[in-house]
Amino acid sequence: MSAFKAVVIEKTDAGQTVGICSFDEADLMDGDVTIRVSHSTLNYKDGLAITGKAPVVRRFPMIPGVDLVGTVEASSNPAFKPGDAVLLNGWGLGETHLGAYAEKVRVKGDWLIPLPQGLTPRQAMAIGTAGYTAMLCLMALERHGLRPERGPAIVTGAVGGVGSVAVALLAKAGWHVIASTGRPGEADYLKNLGAAEILDRSELTGPARPLAKERWAAGVDTVGSTTLANVLSMTKYGGAIAACGLAGGMDLPTTVAPFILRNVALLGVDSVMAPKALRLEAWNRIAHELDHDKLAAMTSTIPLDRVLEAGKDIVEGRIKGRVVVEIG
Ligand code: NDP
């Protein structure tokens, strides 16, 4: 295969163009492992890359796609051999390095982990960066010493990808989960994933008071902006919020009041450059703790040809749960 099918973003004087075309293997970037991609997925960041809504793409041409599962075709890295099933999340894939929406990738072996035992390629991509980030958030809350006995946990952007997995993981770990959403019609979906209560997103979108009534001990925030400010102002004494997203905006119009008067902690969570040991721990835990039926209930599947349209949908908040992209 010297040419293969890929989604390609080009930069022109008029802006960016994106389309599905034939890409020459000779133009792949440096790396010591070449992989035949079987599945990828759709994350919010992939939507930003496809639409150009935010400058996540750092070189052109770019093949977007931050997540992949595939089979090693060639390797000069001693840790991998042809035929190995591998998983990659982040490390700049689809941003600075040619990414996953392609039949073939060439990457650094150091970025890869083996496909976790107990997960099929499709399940691993149903989880994807969104699900692995939800687990990093749970782990951050636990590292902070928080346990379900301390009170409820809120998840914002609950119908989205990170949110759906966070609801399922927190509920499984014993938390009373309050799922915040702008889609009240999805209440049954969220309850089936394990949410105990549904909170309308509008309760968190107005300007935040420095401190408000204490409602939860922990939280996973995928929205940022006034939503995170309100969530912090309603966090119980000694609680913590794991912040991983900006679906509602990058700003944070808050005061120091929750931090200095209620001992609240804001825990930053990044998945892209997370060290390998943390990734392995997170994936091992997801493989064992995420209910496979719940994962299936939150997942839909599309072919590569539909990813451009789905990329627009995710940045406009129209995607429910997780989307697997079938490639090879
Ligand atoms: P999705 O689009 O699937 O989910 C985002 C959800 O946020 C939507 O479903 C919606 O939930 C809610 N939302 C969207 N727009 C607004 C708005 N204007 N105001 C309030 N709520 C809104 O995206 P993902 O789950 O893939 O990603 C969520 C966020 O997490 C993104 O910002 C993404 O960049 C970030 N992220 C960060 C990572 C990291 O490493 N830190 C890794 C992965 C993701 P509902 O309909 O329920 O209201």
Side-chain angles (χ1 to χ4, degrees):
M1 194 200 273
S2 61
F4 56 86
K5 191 166 146 183
V7 173
V8 180
I9 302 174
E10 301 267 10
K11 194 169 190 173
T12 67
D13 290 342
Q16 87 169 34
T17 62
V18 56
I20 297 181
C21 34
S22 176
F23 197 88
D24 200 321
E25 187 167 347
D27 294 329
L28 281 175
M29 293 166 74
D30 286 348
D32 52 7
V33 182
T34 304
I35 299 161
R36 209 173 257 273
V37 182
S38 70
H39 298 81
S40 182
T41 178
L42 180 72
N43 294 284
Y44 191 83
K45 190 183 273 174
D46 300 317
L48 293 177
I50 287 168
T51 57
K53 194 179 161 197
V56 296
V57 174
R58 301 289 176 179
R59 66 90 82 179
F60 295 90
M62 174 53 67
I63 298 175
V66 308
D67 281 321
L68 69 86
V69 165
T71 306
V72 172
E73 195 176 81
S75 170
S76 57
N77 184 309
F80 297 98
K81 60 178 188 323
D84 286 350
V86 289
L87 167 67
L88 201 170
N89 314 105
W91 291 121
L93 200 72
E95 299 181 72
T96 53
H97 194 96
L98 292 174
Y101 293 158
E103 290 171 314
K104 208 176 262 206
V105 298
R106 186 175 302 129
V107 297
K108 284 189 186 158
D110 292 349
W111 297 344
L112 299 168
I113 60 173
L115 179 67
Q117 286 207 339
L119 293 179
T120 65
R122 179 185 299 276
Q123 285 170 328
M125 285 295 92
I127 295 162
T129 283
Y132 137 71
T133 301
M135 178 52 90
L136 291 178
C137 289
L138 173 59
M139 288 162 60
L141 295 168
E142 291 175 349
R143 265 200 312 277
H144 195 70
L146 290 169
R147 296 291 178 269
E149 304 75 62
R150 294 282 294 278
I154 181 154
V155 174
T156 63
V159 176
V162 178
S164 293
V165 183
V167 168
L169 287 174
L170 285 161
K172 176 78 187 236
W175 290 86
H176 176 101
V177 178
I178 302 175
S180 164
T181 183
R183 291 183 264 183
E186 298 295 349
D188 285 347
Y189 165 78
L190 291 168
K191 286 188 174 158
N192 285 336
L193 294 182
E197 288 179 54
I198 310 298
L199 181 70
D200 196 289
R201 152 205 302 183
S202 61
E203 287 197 41
L204 302 175
T205 44
R209 288 160 51 197
L211 293 175
K213 184 169 177 280
E214 296 176 51
R215 297 174 78 171
W216 35 75
V220 172
D221 177 64
T222 72
V223 175
S225 192
T226 49
T227 300
L228 177 55
N230 276 289
V231 165
L232 288 167
S233 76
M234 297 174 192
T235 303
K236 286 176 185 275
Y237 192 95
I241 304 300
C244 68
L246 45 55
M250 208 182 212
D251 59 328
L252 181 54
T254 185
T255 72
V256 295
F259 311 122
I260 65 171
L261 298 176
R262 286 197 183 147
N263 213 23
V264 164
L266 180 56
L267 312 173
V269 172
D270 165 64
S271 65
V272 179
M273 305 304 283
K276 199 163 188 168
L278 193 63
R279 289 168 187 261
L280 289 168
E281 186 187 347
W283 274 100
N284 184 39
R285 280 193 58 179
I286 302 174
H288 290 96
E289 294 174 32
L290 184 60
D291 183 302
H292 288 186
D293 290 337
K294 291 197 169 121
L295 180 63
M298 68 175 86
T299 306
S300 53
T301 302
I302 59 171
L304 186 61
D305 296 351
R306 283 210 39 222
V307 83
L308 302 183
E309 182 189 333
K312 289 188 197 115
D313 287 341
I314 198 166
V315 294
E316 285 165 19
R318 286 199 297 267
I319 293 285
K320 172 174 157 184
R322 302 280 303 126
V323 178
V324 170
V325 181
E326 275 183 336
I327 297 182

